[in-house]
Amino acid sequence: MRIESLDHARQLDAADPLAAWRKEFHLPLHEGRESVYFTGNSLGAMPKKVRAYLETELHAWQTYGVEGHFKGEHPWKDYHHLFTHAAARLVGAEPGEVVVMNNLTVNLHLLMASFYRPEGKRNIILCEGGAFPSDQYALETQARWHQLNPDEVVVELVPRAGEHTLRTEDILTKIAELSDRLALVMMGGVNYYTGQFFDLEAITHAAHAVGALAGFDLAHAAGNVPLYLHNWEVDFACWCTYKYLNSGPGGTSGVFVHSKHGDNPNTFRLAGWWGHHEGERFLMKKGFKPMPGAAGWQLSNAQVLSMAAHLASLEIFDAVGMEQLRAKSLKLTAAAEAALMELNTRYPQAGFRLITPQDPQARGCQLSILCGSNGKALFQHLENKGVVADWREPNVIRIAPVPLYNSFEDVWQFASIMEEGLQLLA
Ligand SMILES: Cc1ncc(COP(=O)(O)O)c(C=O)c1O
């Protein structure tokens, strides 16, 4: 899809069924005007109703003090229940398979405590090379925790020479090769650097075929691409909520545990009182009895103030639905891609190229631009002119036109500012 002119962009926006949602968000201003906010893959824009949702809980605290656990609009002792159905719909899960708690890396460790249980020669964790550093550190220290050498048991898949993304066939071949040495596949759902959306279903089935488990960090996938975790038989997953899910800095995290594990009380889990059987939680008795489902992985009482922001945002996702979001996302990203390809042809000396897969099914909304030597200057130009994108070392500009609040006019503005930068730097 190619945007021909500013008028054309505005016509596309006028015909966009999701266009009205933009005004439900605060978009940071640049010189008094809304910036082109293309960094929803890092920190999503603030939904306007977050303030009221926080205010509700502050009011409950002010009014009821400790009694707020049992009184008020959303008694805090049950706060995590408010997310169950919408979070399940978001990731294609059954309601009992999801819970909202803690932060992402914390949850990754908690889930690996359950699902990375090396035994004898079955001790390898397979992940994508260049995973987000927090995931790399988590895998490294999980290996050490089991007195294993991470250089031996954490196997990273890298793209073929001259390629930037992984081929599904290569992932599946590696899984088959590792066979009975493979304990766990733990990858990003969408890679943070390239924007590649992996074939989670095929990877999960391949892992199961050799007797291993499959779990995913969905930080860049939740709220970005359609997910069917239950049907794909994914064993576990977790995601943050501050990127595509707009729940504010340091926002809480979502967790998925497939019912085949979650409903089995013998699945090992690290425990805290919030995962204990709800009916007996306040009896203060010895002996951990887990709640069925993902809820049994909770440790602590809900971080209500931070979760209030997530509630506000998740309601928006639930009202719009991932299908509609994806439909717009495919168009918006295709329009940005077409504009970038055209600039690449017209300014070949700039030496940039897209490393995100061209196949729309193998990506979400993000496009990663691998820059030539003037990449930092180009990025600086975008920033100076009100495009909020991000720079990822060593040489990538990431842009994420998100369907909930970005417009075709944003894409047009971005491409014009990019062209201006390319001319200046030529
Ligand atoms: C893919 C991925 N994993 C993990 C993290 C770390 O998240 P947290 O700080 O919420 O644990 C991030 C943060 O951006 C991320 O992008």
Side-chain angles (χ1 to χ4, degrees):
M1 157 179 297
R2 185 173 180 277
I3 303 179
E4 308 290 341
S5 63
L6 180 56
D7 271 356
H8 182 212
R10 288 181 175 159
Q11 282 163 24
L12 291 168
D13 285 330
D16 168 17
L18 301 189
W21 286 101
R22 181 180 173 98
K23 62 178 188 329
E24 303 298 326
F25 288 84
H26 289 291
L27 296 175
L29 299 182
H30 175 80
E31 295 176 355
R33 298 182 51 195
E34 276 176 352
S35 56
V36 175
Y37 196 75
F38 272 2
T39 189
N41 56 344
S42 186
L43 184 76
M46 174 181 162
K48 289 184 179 164
K49 67 178 187 166
V50 160
R51 200 177 296 279
Y53 278 54
L54 279 171
E55 194 52 54
T56 299
E57 303 317 326
L58 291 172
H59 177 76
W61 184 14
Q62 176 180 338
T63 312
Y64 306 115
V66 69
E67 289 295 309
H69 285 290
F70 309 98
K71 291 182 175 166
E73 206 173 310
H74 307 127
W76 304 325
K77 88 173 167 51
D78 297 324
Y79 206 82
H80 58 278
H81 289 299
L82 298 172
F83 303 100
T84 307
H85 291 279
R89 282 190 281 271
L90 183 81
V91 297
E94 290 176 350
E97 293 176 321
V98 293
V99 72
V100 169
M101 63 186 201
N102 309 320
N103 287 74
L104 172 55
T105 310
V106 174
N107 287 337
L108 197 53
H109 274 299
L110 290 177
L111 290 167
M112 283 199 288
S114 297
F115 299 113
Y116 177 55
R117 314 274 294 164
E119 265 184 45
K121 68 174 182 176
R122 193 182 279 287
N123 60 15
I124 287 181
I125 310 177
L126 182 67
C127 67
E128 87 265 39
F132 191 79
S134 200
D135 294 20
Q136 295 184 33
Y137 307 149
L139 299 185
E140 180 188 324
T141 53
Q142 283 282 330
R144 288 194 202 289
W145 192 19
H146 291 283
Q147 280 85 46
L148 295 167
N149 178 352
D151 294 337
E152 287 166 11
V153 301
V154 179
V155 173
E156 297 188 352
L157 277 159
V158 291
R160 293 185 188 190
E163 299 185 8
H164 293 279
T165 50
L166 289 168
R167 298 191 193 189
T168 304
E169 67 207 78
D170 292 349
I171 304 176
L172 303 187
T173 302
K174 190 72 189 176
I175 292 173
E177 252 173 51
L178 291 169
S179 183
D180 59 358
R181 292 162 55 219
L182 184 65
L184 175 66
V185 179
M186 216 312 291
M187 299 175 56
V190 171
N191 179 266
Y192 83 101
Y193 192 73
T194 62
Q196 180 177 15
F197 177 24
F198 297 113
D199 187 338
L200 308 191
E201 183 176 23
I203 293 169
T204 301
H205 288 165
H208 290 171
V210 298
L213 299 179
F216 299 98
D217 171 348
L218 301 178
H220 288 264
N224 179 21
V225 288
L227 297 164
Y228 304 95
L229 300 182
H230 177 82
N231 288 345
W232 292 343
E233 296 184 47
V234 167
D235 294 287
F236 69 91
C238 47
W239 56 95
C240 60
T241 61
Y242 44 79
K243 299 178 187 294
Y244 294 102
L245 296 173
N246 316 305
S247 303
T252 185
S253 162
V255 163
F256 166 88
V257 179
H258 199 282
S259 53
K260 67 184 166 199
H261 305 297
D263 292 343
N264 176 358
N266 297 324
T267 306
F268 174 79
R269 65 207 82 184
L270 293 173
W273 74 318
W274 228 248
H276 187 81
H277 204 280
E278 245 170 16
E280 298 183 5
R281 187 179 290 148
F282 291 94
L283 298 184
M284 309 303 188
K285 287 205 295 211
K286 263 180 106 61
F288 176 61
K289 286 192 205 154
M291 292 281 296
W297 268 259
Q298 294 172 103
L299 300 183
S300 303
N301 70 102
Q303 307 127 292
V304 170
L305 294 181
S306 144
M307 288 185 176
H310 185 43
L311 187 60
S313 181
L314 200 56
E315 282 179 4
I316 297 177
F317 274 82
D318 212 32
V320 180
M322 278 311 297
E323 263 174 45
Q324 280 215 81
L325 278 172
R326 178 64 165 170
K328 176 173 170 190
S329 179
L330 289 171
K331 291 184 197 157
L332 211 53
T333 294
E337 179 184 41
L340 284 165
M341 301 288 255
E342 195 175 317
L343 289 174
N344 203 17
T345 315
R346 294 199 357 242
Y347 301 90
Q349 72 286 2
F352 73 79
R353 66 197 152 109
L354 293 178
I355 57 169
T356 305
Q358 280 180 346
D359 174 5
Q361 298 313 317
R363 68 186 186 202
C365 70
Q366 174 182 322
L367 293 174
S368 301
I369 308 163
L370 182 72
C371 296
S373 54
N374 60 8
K376 263 273 165 69
L378 189 58
F379 177 70
Q380 200 57 58
H381 174 79
L382 292 173
E383 207 171 40
N384 294 344
K385 294 289 176 173
V387 174
V388 187
D390 68 17
W391 175 261
R392 283 288 173 265
E393 295 294 346
N395 52 356
V396 159
I397 297 173
R398 300 186 310 174
I399 59 159
V402 308
L404 200 47
Y405 48 77
N406 284 128
S407 62
F408 290 91
E409 185 169 339
D410 282 339
V411 172
W412 172 262
Q413 297 295 359
F414 160 74
S416 310
I417 294 169
M418 181 92 175
E419 174 157 24
E420 200 182 83
L422 293 171
Q423 282 167 352
L424 282 173
L425 296 170

